[in-house]
Amino acid sequence: MLTALSPVAESLRAVQAKVAELEQQRLRQHGELSEQLRAAAESEERLRSTAETLAAALKSNSTRGLWGETQLRNVVQAAGLLERVDFDVQTSIRSDAGAGRPDMVIHLPGGKDIAVDAKVPFAAYLEASSIPVTATGAEGARRTELLRDHVRAVRAHIDTLAGKTYWAGLDSSPELTIAFIPSESLVSSALEADPSIMDYAFQKRIALASPVTLWSVLKTIAFSWQQDVVTQEAKQLFDLSRELYGRISTLATHVDKLGRSLRGSVADYNRFVGSLERQVLPSARRLSMLDEATVLQSPATIDDVPRDLAAVELTAQLEPRD
């Protein structure tokens, strides 16, 4: 029996070794998983700390303003516009509402300008975002009230911006101001809480713009600039073509006059040759046939001597003076 059971013993020992190996692998994998979970927890903690730091920083009005201006500059540059060529920053504007300084003035084709103001109504939204969307009861009511406060902050920003009437201080400006809000969630949450806020802004001549919508508008403006350049070049080409046509017409007039002059000169030359051959040369031939001795006689010799002056009156004028 022992001899018959020896293969079974060998199989059991192999299974036992395999189980021990699997246990070692499990322990090693468990250790690796524990290390990954610990790293994930540390990363989450760092992310939470960073988010809290960012949230604390964004509670400052100056920090929010700097963030909004930075986002605005990034969007404008991403659209392909150049500073001091296609737009200017912190330009002073004076209108009936007083002096103002929008964050940016974008130059449109045709000598027109449009003002852009970057503000971040963020405080109420930041508190509301800390409450889960699925919250119910007091937490849900608190989140709803905070979103309403966010809508009121956006409306107050619209009213303030509309009162500045930046368009009145710009030459040939569309009668509106772009209110840039540097976060899609800030705009979408306000629209979700109050869908009529966009119409309210339009009535105040304010266009709410998120980064995506502003980029689309600026990209259209950049394309309009390209088309304006093409149009100017086409106009210049048309003006040059018209000028060249006029000069060619003048040149053709001169060529026609020259042709008429050449034709007249050729006709005069032909008449001259005809007169020379028909009239002058025959007479010259007949003249050569004449005897010059019979035609031209030798001149006679003059032997007389001129008479001297004898009168005193005449000779007195000829006497030399001392």
Side-chain angles (χ1 to χ4, degrees):
M1 285 183 67
L2 292 176
T3 302
L5 292 176
S6 60
V8 177
E10 291 295 333
S11 298
L12 289 176
R13 281 193 295 270
V15 170
Q16 184 178 3
K18 189 65 176 179
V19 170
E21 182 182 356
L22 291 175
E23 181 64 18
Q24 290 178 358
Q25 292 179 358
R26 186 187 67 81
L27 292 175
R28 185 171 61 253
Q29 292 174 356
H30 179 73
E32 294 176 355
L33 181 60
S34 299
E35 185 65 25
Q36 291 177 359
L37 290 175
R38 189 180 301 108
E42 293 176 357
S43 178
E44 183 179 358
E45 180 63 24
R46 287 195 301 270
L47 181 60
R48 186 185 64 81
S49 177
T50 303
E52 290 179 354
T53 303
L54 178 61
L58 289 177
K59 290 181 180 179
S60 171
N61 291 331
S62 59
T63 304
R64 289 202 304 269
L66 181 60
W67 176 52
E69 294 174 4
T70 303
Q71 287 290 92
L72 176 60
R73 185 182 295 272
N74 292 337
V75 172
V76 170
Q77 292 177 351
L81 301 183
L82 300 177
E83 186 174 357
R84 301 188 182 279
V85 177
D86 302 320
F87 68 92
D88 292 315
V89 295
Q90 301 297 331
T91 302
S92 298
I93 294 177
R94 181 170 296 277
S95 62
D96 295 338
R101 186 184 292 270
D103 295 309
M104 183 175 293
V105 174
I106 299 175
H107 306 307
L108 306 178
K112 299 177 176 59
D113 300 313
I114 187 169
V116 181
D117 188 88
K119 289 295 184 295
V120 189
F122 199 74
Y125 172 79
L126 187 62
E127 295 185 24
S129 61
S130 62
I131 302 175
V133 180
T134 57
T136 58
E139 288 292 321
R142 172 65 177 165
R143 186 177 188 279
T144 302
E145 184 61 28
L146 288 172
L147 289 177
R148 290 175 181 171
D149 292 340
H150 174 59
V151 171
R152 284 192 287 269
V154 174
R155 282 179 174 265
H157 173 55
I158 292 172
D159 293 336
T160 302
L161 196 57
K164 295 180 179 180
T165 61
Y166 286 141
W167 59 82
L170 296 173
D171 296 333
S172 302
S173 173
E175 294 185 356
L176 61 90
T177 300
I178 297 178
F180 174 67
I181 299 179
S183 175
E184 298 291 335
S185 58
L186 290 174
V187 179
S188 61
S189 61
L191 288 173
E192 183 179 357
D194 184 9
S196 64
I197 192 172
M198 192 67 74
D199 293 334
Y200 179 78
F202 290 158
Q203 293 174 2
K204 296 287 186 175
R205 297 179 181 178
I206 302 298
L208 294 177
S210 64
V212 174
T213 55
L214 182 62
W215 182 86
S216 302
V217 172
L218 296 180
K219 200 66 177 177
T220 303
I221 293 175
F223 179 76
S224 299
W225 271 117
Q226 295 176 359
Q227 296 301 311
D228 183 71
V229 172
V230 173
T231 302
Q232 291 180 357
E233 292 180 351
K235 183 179 181 300
Q236 184 178 4
L237 179 61
F238 175 76
D239 294 339
L240 290 175
S241 301
R242 184 169 56 184
E243 180 181 356
L244 180 60
Y245 176 80
R247 293 183 177 181
I248 291 176
S249 177
T250 304
L251 180 63
T253 302
H254 296 330
V255 170
D256 182 66
K257 291 180 179 179
L258 178 61
R260 290 198 300 270
S261 299
L262 290 177
R263 286 193 296 271
S265 299
V266 170
D268 293 340
Y269 174 78
N270 293 334
R271 284 193 293 269
F272 167 76
V273 172
S275 178
L276 177 64
E277 292 179 347
R278 291 192 303 271
Q279 297 179 5
V280 177
L281 288 179
S283 299
R285 293 189 188 100
R286 288 196 301 271
L287 181 63
S288 63
M289 296 172 62
L290 296 177
D291 186 4
E292 61 180 5
T294 59
V295 177
L296 299 175
Q297 298 179 0
S298 298
T301 302
I302 300 175
D303 297 328
D304 296 336
V305 178
R307 181 178 177 181
D308 296 331
L309 298 175
V312 178
E313 293 83 3
L314 298 177
T315 58
Q317 298 294 331
L318 300 176
E319 292 179 358
R321 297 178 181 179
D322 292 337

